Amino acid sequence: LACAGGGSNLAGIRFPFVRENLEGRAETKIVACEPKAAPSLTQGEYKYDFGDTAHLTPLLKMYSLGPDFVPDPVHAGGLRYHGMSPLVSHLYHEGMIDATAIGQLDAFEAGVLFARAEGIVPASESNHAIAGAIRQARIAAEAGESPVIVIGVSGSGQLDLPAYAEYLSGGNTQRHAIDGLDQAHLALDEHTLAHREVGGQARGARARRRRGG
């Protein structure tokens, strides 16, 4: 598992596992952990879109919330991006990786737990991967399984200590928590919602064909 904003952290640690999966040497489940404040994979549309708010870049085929989307002011600034890397987007579209959206409170809770267990204070961005890993571990435990889980802890949290203090004191971090998306921010219409449903079914079908099921 790795945090996912634009896709660099996820690609860096996970693409080698994609190769192993493609060549039949492994069956590693890969999960992108993005913030609920900017859920381009789990809530975005797969389309050609601008990579910047000025609409100056070449059009990129990616999952996107739209270049005019303004995410809520969560502390994980490195994940507040409207789109996803074209390569990561393609893998997700083909059903080769999964994605989950993590709320800010869940991310900080996971970061504190990790710091107390490992003696390392992770960055706010990395907390999303840790929260995703804890979620997967609990699911596995309920199923009586004990998988090996690799977490991409991409940065230390020294610069995030004020945010941790805010979380531990129940301050602004609580008030700014993103536990659900305001659909008005995304300006979603029925066509977009239908596209997502069809896209999810297509991803599942592609993944099943690849596994031969």
Side-chain angles (χ1 to χ4, degrees):
L1 298 94
C3 62
S8 58
N9 276 306
L10 178 74
I13 193 171
R14 295 296 175 253
F15 274 19
F17 293 96
V18 172
R19 178 195 61 205
E20 297 300 299
N21 286 350
L22 286 173
E23 295 184 357
R25 292 193 292 265
E27 294 183 359
T28 303
K29 180 179 180 180
I30 301 169
V31 183
C33 302
E34 61 183 4
K36 283 188 176 180
S40 55
L41 287 175
T42 56
Q43 296 279 347
E45 185 177 355
Y46 192 45
K47 61 182 181 179
Y48 283 97
D49 204 358
F50 292 103
D52 65 334
T53 57
H55 300 194
L56 295 176
T57 66
L59 291 175
L60 306 169
K61 188 67 176 291
M62 63 181 179
Y63 279 91
S64 175
L65 299 167
D68 298 321
F69 173 76
V70 179
D72 289 275
V74 291
H75 286 291
L79 305 184
R80 296 176 67 242
Y81 181 58
H82 70 273
M84 184 58 63
S85 154
L87 287 175
V88 173
S89 293
H90 177 71
L91 291 178
Y92 181 66
H93 186 69
E94 292 296 318
M96 298 169 66
I97 66 173
D98 296 326
T100 185
I102 306 293
Q104 180 164 247
L105 284 181
D106 290 338
F108 270 106
E109 181 182 3
V112 170
L113 178 62
F114 186 86
R116 289 171 175 168
E118 300 294 335
I120 300 170
V121 179
S124 295
E125 291 79 7
S126 303
N127 286 343
H128 291 73
I130 296 169
I134 292 172
R135 182 180 296 176
Q136 293 294 320
R138 287 172 176 165
I139 292 173
E142 291 176 358
E145 302 171 351
S146 55
V148 175
I149 299 177
V150 178
I151 310 172
V153 182
S154 54
S156 61
Q158 281 84 349
L159 297 179
D160 296 306
L161 290 179
Y164 276 102
E166 197 173 35
Y167 165 76
L168 292 170
S169 66
N172 289 336
T173 303
Q174 298 273 0
R175 291 195 293 273
H176 291 317
I178 309 301
D179 291 323
L181 268 180
D182 180 355
Q183 295 296 320
H185 281 179
L186 300 179
L188 298 177
D189 56 19
E190 292 181 359
H191 170 75
T192 302
L193 291 171
H195 171 86
R196 287 181 187 162
E197 182 177 354
V198 173
Q201 294 171 351
R203 283 195 302 275
R206 283 190 290 270
R208 287 192 295 273
R209 286 199 300 271
R210 186 169 291 104
R211 292 192 298 266

